[in-house]
């Protein structure tokens, strides 16, 4: 979902190796790896902690709202 929104806003992440700092990235399903890398690279999603993205956990409403906010900020559609 966030990857599609990034396409609409033309947001491209610049931190391409950021996913490597998350110890549980290997748990991401193969079909989602590219999208997760892109969303992390754009700083749309920052993980549940500094070293975990918790790919098998349910996303909370607060986390989803924060990711939307991050997307809008990174896309320069709103200011912090």
């Amino acid at each position: 979902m966030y990857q599609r929104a990034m396409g609409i806003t033309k947001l491209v992440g610049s931190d391409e190796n950021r996913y490597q700092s998350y110890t549980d990235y290997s748990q991401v399903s193969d079909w989602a790896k590219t999208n997760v890398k892109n969303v992390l690279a754009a700083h749309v999603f920052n993980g549940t902690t500094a070293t975990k993205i918790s790919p098998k956990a349910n996303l909370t409403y607060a986390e989803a709202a924060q990711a939307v906010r991050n997307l809008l900020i990174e896309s320069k559609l709103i200011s912090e």
Side-chain angles (χ1 to χ4, degrees), residues 12-63:
V12 176
S14 60
D15 195 356
E16 296 175 7
N17 294 319
R18 185 169 182 239
Y19 74 95
Q20 294 173 348
S21 66
Y22 294 97
T23 58
D24 57 354
Y25 177 77
S26 62
Q27 295 176 14
V28 174
S29 298
D30 289 338
W31 63 267
K33 285 189 186 239
T34 301
N35 290 336
V36 171
K37 282 181 186 179
N38 292 336
V39 171
L40 289 170
H43 294 263
V44 170
F45 188 72
N46 295 313
T48 53
T49 70
T51 60
K52 293 191 180 271
I53 52 176
S54 304
K56 302 296 182 188
N58 291 324
L59 194 65
T60 67
Y61 289 115
E63 290 167 336

